[in-house]
CSV table of all heavy atoms in Angstrom, one decimal:
chain,number,residue,atom,x,y,z
A,1,MET,N,-11.9,-19.9,4.7
A,1,MET,CA,-11.6,-18.5,4.9
A,1,MET,C,-10.1,-18.2,4.4
A,1,MET,O,-9.2,-19.0,4.7
A,1,MET,CB,-11.7,-18.2,6.4
A,1,MET,CG,-11.4,-16.8,6.7
A,1,MET,SD,-11.0,-16.5,8.4
A,1,MET,CE,-12.5,-16.1,9.2
A,2,SER,N,-10.0,-17.2,3.7
A,2,SER,CA,-8.6,-16.8,3.2
A,2,SER,C,-7.8,-16.1,4.3
A,2,SER,O,-8.3,-15.5,5.1
A,2,SER,CB,-8.7,-16.1,1.8
A,2,SER,OG,-9.3,-14.7,2.1
A,3,GLU,N,-6.5,-16.2,4.1
A,3,GLU,CA,-5.6,-15.5,5.0
A,3,GLU,C,-5.5,-14.1,4.6
A,3,GLU,O,-5.4,-13.7,3.4
A,3,GLU,CB,-4.2,-16.1,4.9
A,3,GLU,CG,-3.1,-15.5,5.7
A,3,GLU,CD,-1.8,-16.1,5.6
A,3,GLU,OE1,-1.7,-17.2,5.2
A,3,GLU,OE2,-0.8,-15.4,6.0
A,4,ARG,N,-5.7,-13.2,5.6
A,4,ARG,CA,-5.5,-11.8,5.4
A,4,ARG,C,-4.1,-11.4,5.2
A,4,ARG,O,-3.2,-11.9,6.0
A,4,ARG,CB,-6.1,-11.0,6.7
A,4,ARG,CG,-7.6,-11.2,6.7
A,4,ARG,CD,-8.1,-10.6,7.9
A,4,ARG,NE,-7.7,-9.2,8.1
A,4,ARG,CZ,-8.5,-8.2,7.8
A,4,ARG,NH1,-9.8,-8.4,7.7
A,4,ARG,NH2,-8.1,-6.9,8.1
A,5,ILE,N,-3.8,-10.6,4.2
A,5,ILE,CA,-2.4,-10.2,3.9
A,5,ILE,C,-2.2,-8.8,4.3
A,5,ILE,O,-2.9,-7.8,3.8
A,5,ILE,CB,-2.1,-10.4,2.5
A,5,ILE,CG1,-2.3,-11.9,2.1
A,5,ILE,CG2,-0.6,-10.0,2.0
A,5,ILE,CD1,-2.3,-12.2,0.6
A,6,HIS,N,-1.3,-8.5,5.1
A,6,HIS,CA,-1.0,-7.1,5.6
A,6,HIS,C,0.3,-6.5,5.2
A,6,HIS,O,1.2,-7.4,4.8
A,6,HIS,CB,-1.1,-7.0,7.2
A,6,HIS,CG,-2.5,-7.4,7.6
A,6,HIS,ND1,-3.6,-6.5,7.6
A,6,HIS,CD2,-3.1,-8.5,8.2
A,6,HIS,CE1,-4.6,-7.0,8.1
A,6,HIS,NE2,-4.4,-8.2,8.4
A,7,LEU,N,0.5,-5.4,5.4
A,7,LEU,CA,1.7,-4.5,5.0
A,7,LEU,C,2.9,-5.1,5.8
A,7,LEU,O,2.9,-5.2,7.0
A,7,LEU,CB,1.5,-3.1,5.2
A,7,LEU,CG,2.5,-2.0,4.7
A,7,LEU,CD1,2.6,-2.2,3.3
A,7,LEU,CD2,2.2,-0.7,5.2
A,8,SER,N,3.9,-5.3,5.1
A,8,SER,CA,5.3,-5.6,5.6
A,8,SER,C,6.1,-4.4,5.9
A,8,SER,O,6.8,-4.3,7.0
A,8,SER,CB,6.0,-6.7,4.8
A,8,SER,OG,7.2,-7.1,5.3
A,9,GLU,N,6.3,-3.6,4.8
A,9,GLU,CA,7.1,-2.3,4.9
A,9,GLU,C,6.7,-1.5,3.8
A,9,GLU,O,6.0,-1.8,3.0
A,9,GLU,CB,8.6,-2.7,4.8
A,9,GLU,CG,9.1,-3.3,3.5
A,9,GLU,CD,10.6,-3.4,3.4
A,9,GLU,OE1,11.3,-2.4,3.5
A,9,GLU,OE2,10.9,-4.6,3.3
A,10,TRP,N,7.2,-0.1,4.0
A,10,TRP,CA,7.0,0.8,2.9
A,10,TRP,C,8.2,1.6,2.7
A,10,TRP,O,9.0,1.7,3.5
A,10,TRP,CB,5.8,1.8,3.3
A,10,TRP,CG,6.0,2.6,4.4
A,10,TRP,CD1,6.6,3.9,4.5
A,10,TRP,CD2,5.6,2.3,5.9
A,10,TRP,NE1,6.6,4.4,5.7
A,10,TRP,CE2,6.0,3.5,6.6
A,10,TRP,CE3,5.0,1.2,6.4
A,10,TRP,CZ2,5.8,3.5,7.9
A,10,TRP,CZ3,4.8,1.2,7.8
A,10,TRP,CH2,5.2,2.4,8.5
A,11,LYS,N,8.3,2.1,1.5
A,11,LYS,CA,9.5,2.9,1.1
A,11,LYS,C,9.1,4.1,0.3
A,11,LYS,O,8.2,4.1,-0.6
A,11,LYS,CB,10.5,2.1,0.2
A,11,LYS,CG,11.0,0.9,0.9
A,11,LYS,CD,11.9,0.1,-0.1
A,11,LYS,CE,12.5,-1.1,0.7
A,11,LYS,NZ,13.4,-1.9,-0.1
A,12,HIS,N,9.7,5.3,0.5
A,12,HIS,CA,9.6,6.5,-0.2
A,12,HIS,C,10.3,6.3,-1.6
A,12,HIS,O,11.5,5.9,-1.6
A,12,HIS,CB,10.1,7.7,0.4
A,12,HIS,CG,9.4,8.1,1.6
A,12,HIS,ND1,8.3,9.0,1.6
A,12,HIS,CD2,9.4,7.6,2.9
A,12,HIS,CE1,7.8,9.0,2.9
A,12,HIS,NE2,8.5,8.2,3.6
A,13,GLU,N,9.7,6.4,-2.8
A,13,GLU,CA,10.2,6.4,-4.1
A,13,GLU,C,9.7,7.3,-5.0
A,13,GLU,O,8.5,7.3,-5.4
A,13,GLU,CB,10.0,4.9,-4.6
A,13,GLU,CG,10.9,3.9,-4.1
A,13,GLU,CD,10.8,2.5,-4.8
A,13,GLU,OE1,10.2,2.5,-5.9
A,13,GLU,OE2,11.4,1.6,-4.3
A,14,ASN,N,10.5,8.3,-5.5
A,14,ASN,CA,10.0,9.3,-6.5
A,14,ASN,C,8.8,10.0,-6.1
A,14,ASN,O,7.9,10.1,-7.1
A,14,ASN,CB,10.1,8.5,-7.8
A,14,ASN,CG,11.3,7.9,-8.3
A,14,ASN,OD1,12.4,8.6,-8.1
A,14,ASN,ND2,11.3,6.8,-8.9
A,15,GLY,N,8.7,10.4,-5.0
A,15,GLY,CA,7.4,11.2,-4.6
A,15,GLY,C,6.2,10.4,-4.3
A,15,GLY,O,5.1,11.0,-4.2
A,16,ARG,N,6.3,9.1,-4.3
A,16,ARG,CA,5.3,8.2,-3.9
A,16,ARG,C,5.7,7.2,-3.0
A,16,ARG,O,6.9,7.1,-2.6
A,16,ARG,CB,4.6,7.6,-5.2
A,16,ARG,CG,5.5,6.8,-6.0
A,16,ARG,CD,4.9,6.3,-7.3
A,16,ARG,NE,5.9,5.4,-8.0
A,16,ARG,CZ,6.3,5.6,-9.1
A,16,ARG,NH1,5.7,6.5,-9.8
A,16,ARG,NH2,7.2,4.8,-9.7
A,17,ILE,N,4.8,6.4,-2.4
A,17,ILE,CA,5.1,5.3,-1.4
A,17,ILE,C,4.9,3.9,-2.1
A,17,ILE,O,3.9,3.7,-2.6
A,17,ILE,CB,4.2,5.5,-0.2
A,17,ILE,CG1,4.4,6.9,0.4
A,17,ILE,CG2,4.6,4.5,0.8
A,17,ILE,CD1,5.7,7.3,0.8
A,18,LYS,N,5.9,3.1,-1.9
A,18,LYS,CA,6.0,1.7,-2.4
A,18,LYS,C,5.4,0.9,-1.2
A,18,LYS,O,6.1,0.9,-0.1
A,18,LYS,CB,7.2,1.3,-2.9
A,18,LYS,CG,7.3,-0.2,-3.4
A,18,LYS,CD,8.7,-0.5,-3.9
A,18,LYS,CE,8.7,-1.9,-4.5
A,18,LYS,NZ,10.0,-2.3,-4.9
A,19,LEU,N,4.4,0.3,-1.2
A,19,LEU,CA,3.8,-0.6,-0.1
A,19,LEU,C,4.3,-2.0,-0.5
A,19,LEU,O,3.9,-2.6,-1.7
A,19,LEU,CB,2.3,-0.5,0.0
A,19,LEU,CG,1.8,0.8,0.2
A,19,LEU,CD1,0.2,0.8,0.2
A,19,LEU,CD2,2.3,1.5,1.5
A,20,ILE,N,4.9,-2.7,0.4
A,20,ILE,CA,5.4,-4.1,0.2
A,20,ILE,C,4.7,-5.0,1.2
A,20,ILE,O,4.7,-4.7,2.4
A,20,ILE,CB,7.0,-4.2,0.4
A,20,ILE,CG1,7.6,-3.2,-0.6
A,20,ILE,CG2,7.4,-5.5,0.2
A,20,ILE,CD1,9.1,-2.8,-0.2
A,21,TYR,N,4.1,-6.1,0.6
A,21,TYR,CA,3.2,-7.0,1.5
A,21,TYR,C,3.9,-8.2,1.8
A,21,TYR,O,4.9,-8.7,1.2
A,21,TYR,CB,1.9,-7.2,0.8
A,21,TYR,CG,1.0,-5.9,0.9
A,21,TYR,CD1,1.2,-4.9,0.0
A,21,TYR,CD2,0.1,-5.9,1.9
A,21,TYR,CE1,0.4,-3.7,0.2
A,21,TYR,CE2,-0.7,-4.7,2.1
A,21,TYR,CZ,-0.5,-3.6,1.2
A,21,TYR,OH,-1.3,-2.4,1.4
A,22,ARG,N,3.4,-8.9,2.8
A,22,ARG,CA,4.0,-10.2,3.3
A,22,ARG,C,4.2,-11.2,2.3
A,22,ARG,O,4.9,-12.0,2.4
A,22,ARG,CB,3.3,-10.7,4.6
A,22,ARG,CG,3.5,-9.7,5.8
A,22,ARG,CD,2.7,-10.2,6.9
A,22,ARG,NE,2.8,-9.3,8.0
A,22,ARG,CZ,2.0,-9.3,9.1
A,22,ARG,NH1,1.0,-10.2,9.2
A,22,ARG,NH2,2.2,-8.3,10.1
A,23,ASP,N,3.2,-11.2,1.3
A,23,ASP,CA,3.2,-12.2,0.2
A,23,ASP,C,4.1,-11.8,-0.9
A,23,ASP,O,4.2,-12.5,-1.8
A,23,ASP,CB,1.9,-12.5,-0.2
A,23,ASP,CG,1.2,-11.3,-1.1
A,23,ASP,OD1,1.9,-10.1,-0.9
A,23,ASP,OD2,0.2,-11.4,-1.6
A,24,GLY,N,4.9,-10.7,-0.7
A,24,GLY,CA,5.9,-10.3,-1.8
A,24,GLY,C,5.4,-9.4,-2.8
A,24,GLY,O,6.1,-8.8,-3.6
A,25,ASP,N,4.0,-9.2,-2.8
A,25,ASP,CA,3.4,-8.3,-3.8
A,25,ASP,C,3.7,-6.8,-3.3
A,25,ASP,O,3.9,-6.6,-2.2
A,25,ASP,CB,1.9,-8.5,-3.8
A,25,ASP,CG,1.1,-7.8,-4.9
A,25,ASP,OD1,1.7,-7.4,-5.8
A,25,ASP,OD2,-0.1,-7.8,-4.8
A,26,PHE,N,3.6,-6.0,-4.3
A,26,PHE,CA,3.8,-4.5,-3.9
A,26,PHE,C,3.1,-3.6,-4.9
A,26,PHE,O,2.6,-4.2,-6.0
A,26,PHE,CB,5.3,-4.1,-3.9
A,26,PHE,CG,5.9,-4.1,-5.3
A,26,PHE,CD1,5.9,-3.0,-6.0
A,26,PHE,CD2,6.6,-5.3,-5.7
A,26,PHE,CE1,6.6,-3.1,-7.3
A,26,PHE,CE2,7.2,-5.3,-7.0
A,26,PHE,CZ,7.1,-4.2,-7.7
A,27,PHE,N,2.7,-2.5,-4.6
A,27,PHE,CA,2.2,-1.4,-5.4
A,27,PHE,C,2.4,-0.1,-4.8
A,27,PHE,O,2.9,0.0,-3.7
A,27,PHE,CB,0.7,-1.7,-5.6
A,27,PHE,CG,-0.2,-1.8,-4.4
A,27,PHE,CD1,-0.8,-0.6,-4.0
A,27,PHE,CD2,-0.4,-2.9,-3.8
A,27,PHE,CE1,-1.6,-0.7,-2.8
A,27,PHE,CE2,-1.2,-3.1,-2.7
A,27,PHE,CZ,-1.9,-2.0,-2.2
A,28,TYR,N,2.1,1.0,-5.5
A,28,TYR,CA,2.4,2.4,-5.1
A,28,TYR,C,1.1,3.1,-4.7
A,28,TYR,O,0.1,2.9,-5.3
A,28,TYR,CB,3.1,3.1,-6.2
A,28,TYR,CG,4.5,2.5,-6.6
A,28,TYR,CD1,4.7,1.6,-7.5
A,28,TYR,CD2,5.6,3.1,-5.9
A,28,TYR,CE1,6.0,1.1,-7.8
A,28,TYR,CE2,6.8,2.5,-6.1
A,28,TYR,CZ,7.0,1.5,-7.1
A,28,TYR,OH,8.3,1.0,-7.4
A,29,VAL,N,1.3,4.0,-3.8
A,29,VAL,CA,0.2,5.0,-3.4
A,29,VAL,C,0.7,6.3,-3.4
A,29,VAL,O,1.9,6.6,-3.3
A,29,VAL,CB,-0.4,4.5,-2.0
A,29,VAL,CG1,-1.1,3.2,-2.1
A,29,VAL,CG2,0.5,4.7,-1.0
A,30,ASN,N,-0.1,7.3,-3.6
A,30,ASN,CA,0.2,8.6,-3.6
A,30,ASN,C,0.7,9.1,-2.2
A,30,ASN,O,0.1,8.7,-1.2
A,30,ASN,CB,-1.1,9.5,-4.0
A,30,ASN,CG,-0.8,10.9,-4.0
A,30,ASN,OD1,-0.7,11.6,-3.0
A,30,ASN,ND2,-0.9,11.5,-5.3
A,31,LYS,N,1.8,9.9,-2.1
A,31,LYS,CA,2.3,10.2,-0.8
A,31,LYS,C,1.3,11.0,0.0
A,31,LYS,O,1.1,10.8,1.2
A,31,LYS,CB,3.6,11.0,-1.0
A,31,LYS,CG,4.1,11.4,0.5
A,31,LYS,CD,5.4,12.2,0.4
A,31,LYS,CE,6.1,12.5,1.6
A,31,LYS,NZ,5.3,12.6,2.8
A,32,GLU,N,0.4,11.8,-0.5
A,32,GLU,CA,-0.5,12.6,0.2
A,32,GLU,C,-1.7,11.6,0.7
A,32,GLU,O,-2.0,11.8,1.8
A,32,GLU,CB,-1.2,13.7,-0.7
A,32,GLU,CG,-0.3,14.9,-1.0
A,32,GLU,CD,0.8,14.5,-2.2
A,32,GLU,OE1,0.5,13.6,-3.0
A,32,GLU,OE2,1.8,15.2,-2.3
A,33,ASP,N,-2.0,10.6,-0.1
A,33,ASP,CA,-3.0,9.7,0.4
A,33,ASP,C,-2.4,8.9,1.6
A,33,ASP,O,-3.1,8.6,2.6
A,33,ASP,CB,-3.4,8.7,-0.6
A,33,ASP,CG,-4.4,9.4,-1.7
A,33,ASP,OD1,-5.0,10.3,-1.4
A,33,ASP,OD2,-4.4,8.8,-2.8
A,34,PHE,N,-1.1,8.6,1.5
A,34,PHE,CA,-0.5,7.8,2.5
A,34,PHE,C,-0.4,8.5,3.8
A,34,PHE,O,-0.7,8.1,4.9
A,34,PHE,CB,1.0,7.4,2.0
A,34,PHE,CG,1.8,6.6,3.0
A,34,PHE,CD1,1.6,5.2,3.2
A,34,PHE,CD2,2.7,7.1,3.9
A,34,PHE,CE1,2.3,4.5,4.1
A,34,PHE,CE2,3.5,6.3,4.7
A,34,PHE,CZ,3.2,5.0,4.8
A,35,ASP,N,0.0,9.8,3.7
A,35,ASP,CA,0.0,10.7,4.9
A,35,ASP,C,-1.4,11.0,5.5
A,35,ASP,O,-1.5,10.8,6.8
A,35,ASP,CB,0.6,12.0,4.6
A,35,ASP,CG,2.1,11.9,4.2
A,35,ASP,OD1,2.8,10.9,4.5
A,35,ASP,OD2,2.6,12.9,3.5
A,36,ARG,N,-2.3,11.1,4.6
A,36,ARG,CA,-3.6,11.4,5.2
A,36,ARG,C,-4.3,10.1,5.8
A,36,ARG,O,-5.0,10.2,6.7
A,36,ARG,CB,-4.5,11.9,4.0
A,36,ARG,CG,-5.9,12.2,4.3
A,36,ARG,CD,-6.8,12.6,3.0
A,36,ARG,NE,-6.6,11.9,1.8
A,36,ARG,CZ,-7.2,10.7,1.6
A,36,ARG,NH1,-8.1,10.2,2.5
A,36,ARG,NH2,-7.0,10.0,0.5
A,37,ALA,N,-4.1,9.0,5.3
A,37,ALA,CA,-4.8,7.7,5.6
A,37,ALA,C,-3.8,6.8,6.2
A,37,ALA,O,-4.1,5.5,6.0
A,37,ALA,CB,-5.5,7.2,4.4
A,38,PHE,N,-2.8,7.2,6.8
A,38,PHE,CA,-1.7,6.4,7.3
A,38,PHE,C,-2.3,5.1,8.2
A,38,PHE,O,-2.0,4.0,7.8
A,38,PHE,CB,-0.8,7.2,8.1
A,38,PHE,CG,0.4,6.3,8.8
A,38,PHE,CD1,1.5,5.9,8.0
A,38,PHE,CD2,0.4,5.9,10.0
A,38,PHE,CE1,2.5,5.2,8.5
A,38,PHE,CE2,1.4,5.1,10.6
A,38,PHE,CZ,2.4,4.8,9.9
A,39,GLY,N,-3.1,5.4,9.1
A,39,GLY,CA,-3.6,4.3,10.0
A,39,GLY,C,-4.3,3.4,9.2
A,39,GLY,O,-4.2,2.0,9.4
A,40,CYS,N,-5.1,3.7,8.3
A,40,CYS,CA,-5.9,2.8,7.4
A,40,CYS,C,-5.0,2.0,6.6
A,40,CYS,O,-5.2,0.8,6.5
A,40,CYS,CB,-6.9,3.6,6.7
A,40,CYS,SG,-7.9,2.6,5.5
A,41,ILE,N,-4.0,2.6,6.0
A,41,ILE,CA,-3.1,1.9,5.0
A,41,ILE,C,-2.3,0.8,5.8
A,41,ILE,O,-2.1,-0.1,5.3
A,41,ILE,CB,-2.3,3.0,4.1
A,41,ILE,CG1,-3.3,3.7,3.3
A,41,ILE,CG2,-1.2,2.3,3.5
A,41,ILE,CD1,-2.6,4.9,2.4
A,42,VAL,N,-1.8,1.2,6.9
A,42,VAL,CA,-0.8,0.3,7.5
A,42,VAL,C,-1.6,-0.9,8.3
A,42,VAL,O,-0.9,-1.8,8.4
A,42,VAL,CB,0.2,0.9,8.5
A,42,VAL,CG1,1.1,1.9,7.7
A,42,VAL,CG2,-0.5,1.6,9.6
A,43,SER,N,-2.9,-0.7,8.5
A,43,SER,CA,-3.5,-1.8,9.3
A,43,SER,C,-4.6,-2.5,8.4
A,43,SER,O,-5.0,-3.5,8.8
A,43,SER,CB,-4.3,-1.1,10.5
A,43,SER,OG,-5.3,-0.3,10.0
A,44,GLY,N,-4.8,-2.0,7.2
A,44,GLY,CA,-5.7,-2.6,6.3
A,44,GLY,C,-5.3,-3.7,5.6
A,44,GLY,O,-4.1,-4.0,5.6
A,45,GLU,N,-6.3,-4.5,5.1
A,45,GLU,CA,-6.0,-5.7,4.3
A,45,GLU,C,-5.6,-5.2,2.9
A,45,GLU,O,-6.1,-4.3,2.2
A,45,GLU,CB,-7.1,-6.6,4.2
A,45,GLU,CG,-6.9,-7.9,3.6
A,45,GLU,CD,-8.2,-8.9,3.7
A,45,GLU,OE1,-9.1,-8.6,4.3
A,45,GLU,OE2,-8.1,-9.9,3.0
A,46,LYS,N,-4.5,-6.0,2.2
A,46,LYS,CA,-4.0,-5.6,0.9
A,46,LYS,C,-5.0,-5.3,-0.2
A,46,LYS,O,-5.0,-4.3,-0.7
A,46,LYS,CB,-3.1,-6.7,0.5
A,46,LYS,CG,-2.4,-6.4,-0.9
A,46,LYS,CD,-1.5,-7.5,-1.3
A,46,LYS,CE,-2.2,-8.6,-1.9
A,46,LYS,NZ,-1.4,-9.6,-2.7
A,47,GLU,N,-6.0,-6.2,-0.4
A,47,GLU,CA,-6.9,-6.0,-1.5
A,47,GLU,C,-7.7,-4.7,-1.2
A,47,GLU,O,-8.1,-4.0,-2.2
A,47,GLU,CB,-7.8,-7.2,-1.6
A,47,GLU,CG,-7.0,-8.4,-2.2
A,47,GLU,CD,-6.2,-8.1,-3.4
A,47,GLU,OE1,-6.7,-7.4,-4.3
A,47,GLU,OE2,-5.0,-8.6,-3.6
A,48,GLU,N,-8.1,-4.4,0.0
A,48,GLU,CA,-8.9,-3.3,0.2
A,48,GLU,C,-8.0,-1.9,0.1
A,48,GLU,O,-8.6,-1.0,-0.6
A,48,GLU,CB,-9.4,-3.2,1.7
A,48,GLU,CG,-10.3,-4.3,2.0
A,48,GLU,CD,-10.6,-4.5,3.5
A,48,GLU,OE1,-10.1,-3.8,4.2
A,48,GLU,OE2,-11.5,-5.3,3.8
A,49,ILE,N,-6.8,-2.0,0.4
A,49,ILE,CA,-5.9,-0.8,0.3
A,49,ILE,C,-5.6,-0.6,-1.3
A,49,ILE,O,-5.7,0.4,-1.8
A,49,ILE,CB,-4.6,-1.0,1.0
A,49,ILE,CG1,-5.0,-1.1,2.6
A,49,ILE,CG2,-3.6,0.2,0.8
A,49,ILE,CD1,-5.8,0.0,3.1
A,50,LYS,N,-5.4,-1.7,-1.9
A,50,LYS,CA,-5.1,-1.7,-3.4
A,50,LYS,C,-6.3,-1.1,-4.1
A,50,LYS,O,-6.1,-0.3,-5.0
A,50,LYS,CB,-4.7,-3.1,-3.9
A,50,LYS,CG,-4.3,-3.1,-5.2
A,50,LYS,CD,-3.8,-4.5,-5.7
A,50,LYS,CE,-2.9,-4.5,-6.8
A,50,LYS,NZ,-2.3,-5.8,-7.1
A,51,ARG,N,-7.5,-1.5,-3.7
A,51,ARG,CA,-8.6,-1.0,-4.4
A,51,ARG,C,-8.9,0.4,-4.2
A,51,ARG,O,-9.2,1.1,-5.1
A,51,ARG,CB,-9.9,-1.8,-3.8
A,51,ARG,CG,-11.3,-1.4,-4.4
A,51,ARG,CD,-12.4,-1.9,-3.6
A,51,ARG,NE,-12.4,-1.3,-2.3
A,51,ARG,CZ,-12.8,-2.0,-1.2
A,51,ARG,NH1,-13.1,-3.2,-1.2
A,51,ARG,NH2,-12.8,-1.3,-0.1
A,52,ASP,N,-8.6,0.9,-3.0
A,52,ASP,CA,-8.9,2.3,-2.6
A,52,ASP,C,-7.9,3.3,-2.9
A,52,ASP,O,-8.1,4.5,-3.1
A,52,ASP,CB,-9.3,2.3,-1.1
A,52,ASP,CG,-10.6,1.7,-0.9
A,52,ASP,OD1,-11.4,1.3,-1.8
A,52,ASP,OD2,-10.8,1.4,0.3
A,53,PHE,N,-6.5,2.8,-3.0
A,53,PHE,CA,-5.4,3.8,-3.0
A,53,PHE,C,-4.3,3.6,-4.1
A,53,PHE,O,-3.5,4.4,-4.2
A,53,PHE,CB,-4.7,3.8,-1.6
A,53,PHE,CG,-5.6,4.2,-0.5
A,53,PHE,CD1,-6.2,3.3,0.4
A,53,PHE,CD2,-5.8,5.7,-0.3
A,53,PHE,CE1,-6.9,3.9,1.5
A,53,PHE,CE2,-6.6,6.1,0.8
A,53,PHE,CZ,-7.2,5.2,1.6
A,54,GLU,N,-4.4,2.4,-4.8
A,54,GLU,CA,-3.3,2.2,-5.7
A,54,GLU,C,-3.2,3.3,-6.7
A,54,GLU,O,-4.2,3.7,-7.3
A,54,GLU,CB,-3.6,0.9,-6.4
A,54,GLU,CG,-2.4,0.5,-7.4
A,54,GLU,CD,-2.7,-0.8,-8.1
A,54,GLU,OE1,-3.8,-1.3,-8.1
A,54,GLU,OE2,-1.6,-1.4,-8.5
A,55,GLN,N,-2.0,3.6,-6.9
A,55,GLN,CA,-1.6,4.6,-8.0
A,55,GLN,C,-1.1,3.9,-9.2
A,55,GLN,O,-0.1,3.2,-9.0
A,55,GLN,CB,-0.6,5.6,-7.4
A,55,GLN,CG,-0.2,6.7,-8.4
A,55,GLN,CD,0.9,7.6,-7.9
A,55,GLN,OE1,1.7,7.2,-7.2
A,55,GLN,NE2,0.7,8.9,-8.1
A,56,LYS,N,-1.8,4.0,-10.2
A,56,LYS,CA,-1.4,3.3,-11.6
A,56,LYS,C,-0.2,4.0,-12.1
A,56,LYS,O,0.0,5.2,-12.1
A,56,LYS,CB,-2.5,3.2,-12.5
A,56,LYS,CG,-3.8,2.6,-12.0
A,56,LYS,CD,-3.6,1.2,-11.9
A,56,LYS,CE,-5.0,0.6,-11.4
A,56,LYS,NZ,-4.9,-0.7,-11.0
A,57,ILE,N,0.8,3.2,-12.5
A,57,ILE,CA,2.0,3.7,-13.1
A,57,ILE,C,1.9,3.8,-14.6
A,57,ILE,O,1.5,2.8,-15.3
A,57,ILE,CB,3.2,2.8,-12.8
A,57,ILE,CG1,3.3,2.5,-11.3
A,57,ILE,CG2,4.5,3.4,-13.3
A,57,ILE,CD1,3.8,3.6,-10.4
A,58,ASP,N,2.1,4.9,-15.2
A,58,ASP,CA,2.1,5.1,-16.6
A,58,ASP,C,3.2,4.7,-17.3
A,58,ASP,O,4.3,4.7,-17.0
A,58,ASP,CB,1.8,6.6,-17.0
A,58,ASP,CG,0.4,7.1,-16.4
A,58,ASP,OD1,-0.5,6.3,-16.3
A,58,ASP,OD2,0.3,8.3,-16.2
């Protein structure tokens, strides 16, 4: 069984939210998604949140 990786902290950056995980990985989500799904995002497993909410940087 693999270890579940959860959110360590988040930061507002340029109108989006940077999610930083306990394993050092990070990615960005849309601020509106973060506000709307806050409970899910802060308590969910990294791979699930990444799959459902990651905002790709152009």
